[in-house]
Amino acid sequence: MKSKILLKILMPLFLLFASNVLIAQSITPSGSITAFTATYGSAATEQTFTFTAAGLTATSPVTITAPTNFQVSLTSGSGFGSSVVVNTDGSGDVTPAVTIYVLMPSGINAGSVTGGNITLAEGATNNTVAIPTSTVNTKILTISGLTASNKVYNATTAASLTGTAALVGVETGDIPNVTLGGSASASFASASVGTGISVTVSGYTLSGSAAGNYSLTQPAGLTADITAKGLTISGLTADNKVYNATTSATLTGTAALVGVEAGDVSNVTLGGSAAASFASAGVGTGVAVTVTGYSISGTAATNYTLAQPTGLSADITAKGLTISGLTADNKVYNATTAAILSGTAAIVGVEAGDVANVTLGGTAVASFATSGVGTGIAVSVTGYSISGTAATNYSLSQPAGLTADITAKGLTISGLTADN
């Protein structure tokens, strides 16, 4: 009798113990989550883990809850939220294993993101999956709207920009809260003359309440040309000359380069052999003179172009001609200064190319300096002239240096007879 009573007391306890062993409640995750890395404005790549459950309340689902800054979903690519629920089967189990998708979404400010635990709970039964501290990197912004300006060589790498700088890549909601500022500075990769030389830019900055979520890349890919600087030559004048039927001209003074950058003075040398020419060979005033033949050399010479001296002019004056071939004749005093010439008048000094184009003409008139008797009396000549297409390039001197004698005139006496 005592045995039956004891059995009745112990049996419920045995059944309760057996029940607890057979239906122990558990939520068992499998897999782990590593630290997320994302760029501001973009979600991180999804990660997953799985879990199973056993012995739970059949009518109560398992709730999976993400920590702050993270989301979970039962579907890859969609359905993400702060929590999801997974129903158990009729026995209170979750089997086969269910995949949970974990995401660090967009919209989290750049910096270190504190992790936490994903909780899986049904009633008093729970478990966790840890998320390590993660990172949201700043979003890189670029600058558009700028071009580098070409320039003339100035021995520096300084460059200038044109256009309006504009930020590219700011998230729509941040546009009022991110401002481009700073003081831009542009530099050529080299100072020398060249085409398509790289130009680097620095100095732009970001400001605004959302600026900490971004990093700024200075404008890149800009190029421009540096063209040679023009040099001129000073210190020269063109000389006047007497007509010689050529355009050749001569220069006086000391040629000096104008415009060489200070740092290049010792590296640019003026050389060459100058040749000067009048614009025309004929007589004239202020006739333009062109110069050729100067050149530059030296290690910095390729950064310059040389303009030959300009603006020079000079006068070409008429060439004086004389007349040869004449002599003055002696005469007997006749109370006048009239003189007579002998010989053939010929022009002296006409340039070879002009001989056919300058002709001596006119009617010569010769006169003694005095009408009285004398020896070696100077005889002056007037009346000669020149004509022809080249005559304007000459001036004519009348024959000079002529002399002759005026001898006494013999007289006789009349009116007399001799007496016997």
Side-chain angles (χ1 to χ4, degrees):
M1 178 62 70
K2 290 181 178 179
S3 298
K4 289 181 179 181
I5 294 172
L6 183 60
L7 180 61
K8 287 181 180 181
I9 294 173
L10 295 175
M11 182 60 72
L13 295 175
F14 174 77
L15 293 174
L16 178 61
F17 173 77
S19 174
N20 286 338
V21 171
L22 293 174
I23 58 172
Q25 295 176 322
S26 64
I27 299 173
T28 306
S30 177
S32 61
I33 303 297
T34 60
F36 286 93
T37 300
T39 298
Y40 176 73
S42 300
T45 302
E46 298 173 3
Q47 296 188 52
T48 64
F49 69 92
T50 63
F51 81 94
T52 59
L56 304 179
T57 303
T59 59
S60 178
V62 177
T63 301
I64 299 93
T65 304
T68 302
N69 295 324
F70 298 91
Q71 295 178 340
V72 290
S73 175
L74 297 174
T75 306
S76 175
S78 64
F80 283 92
S82 60
S83 65
V84 294
V85 294
V86 176
N87 293 321
T88 62
D89 60 19
S91 303
D93 297 337
V94 176
T95 184
V98 174
T99 300
I100 303 298
Y101 297 88
V102 185
L103 180 69
M104 185 169 67
S106 62
I108 300 174
N109 288 337
S112 179
V113 180
T114 301
N117 289 323
I118 302 170
T119 60
L120 300 88
E122 187 280 316
T125 305
N126 61 74
N127 211 331
T128 60
V129 174
I131 299 177
T133 298
S134 298
T135 302
V136 175
N137 294 318
T138 56
K139 182 177 182 180
I140 297 174
L141 302 181
T142 58
I143 298 173
S144 67
L146 296 175
T147 57
S149 302
N150 298 332
K151 77 168 186 176
V152 175
Y153 173 78
N154 65 354
T156 73
T157 58
S160 59
L161 304 173
T162 57
T164 303
L167 285 172
V168 176
V170 177
E171 296 292 319
T172 302
D174 289 340
I175 289 175
N177 302 315
V178 180
T179 303
L180 180 64
S183 180
S185 175
S187 299
F188 282 96
S190 65
S192 298
V193 166
T195 302
I197 303 170
S198 294
V199 174
T200 58
V201 180
S202 61
Y204 281 110
T205 59
L206 296 176
S207 61
S209 59
N213 292 315
Y214 299 92
S215 57
L216 181 64
T217 298
Q218 301 294 319
L222 301 181
T223 63
D225 303 338
I226 299 177
T227 55
K229 181 179 182 180
L231 303 181
T232 57
I233 297 173
S234 67
L236 297 174
T237 57
D239 298 335
N240 298 331
K241 77 168 186 177
V242 175
Y243 173 79
N244 65 355
T246 73
T247 58
S248 62
T250 58
L251 304 172
T252 57
T254 302
L257 286 172
V258 176
V260 177
E261 296 292 325
D264 289 340
V265 169
S266 60
N267 299 316
V268 180
T269 303
L270 180 64
S273 180
S277 300
F278 282 97
S280 62
V283 167
T285 302
V287 182
V289 174
T290 58
V291 181
T292 60
Y294 281 110
S295 61
I296 52 176
S297 60
T299 56
T302 55
N303 294 314
Y304 298 92
T305 58
L306 180 65
Q308 301 294 318
T310 59
L312 301 180
S313 64
D315 302 339
I316 300 177
T317 55
K319 181 179 182 180
L321 301 181
T322 58
I323 298 174
S324 66
L326 297 175
T327 59
D329 296 341
N330 297 330
K331 76 169 187 176
V332 174
Y333 172 78
N334 64 356
T336 71
T337 57
I340 298 173
L341 302 173
S342 297
T344 302
I347 302 173
V348 177
V350 175
E351 296 292 324
D354 289 341
V355 170
N357 300 315
V358 180
T359 301
L360 181 63
T363 300
V365 176
S367 300
F368 281 98
T370 62
S371 61
V373 170
T375 300
I377 302 170
V379 174
S380 62
V381 181
T382 61
Y384 281 110
S385 61
I386 52 175
S387 61
T389 57
T392 55
N393 293 314
Y394 297 93
S395 61
L396 180 65
S397 294
Q398 300 295 318
L402 300 180
T403 62
D405 301 339
I406 299 176
T407 57
K409 181 177 181 179
L411 301 178
T412 59
I413 300 172
S414 64
L416 295 176
T417 57
D419 297 336
N420 294 326

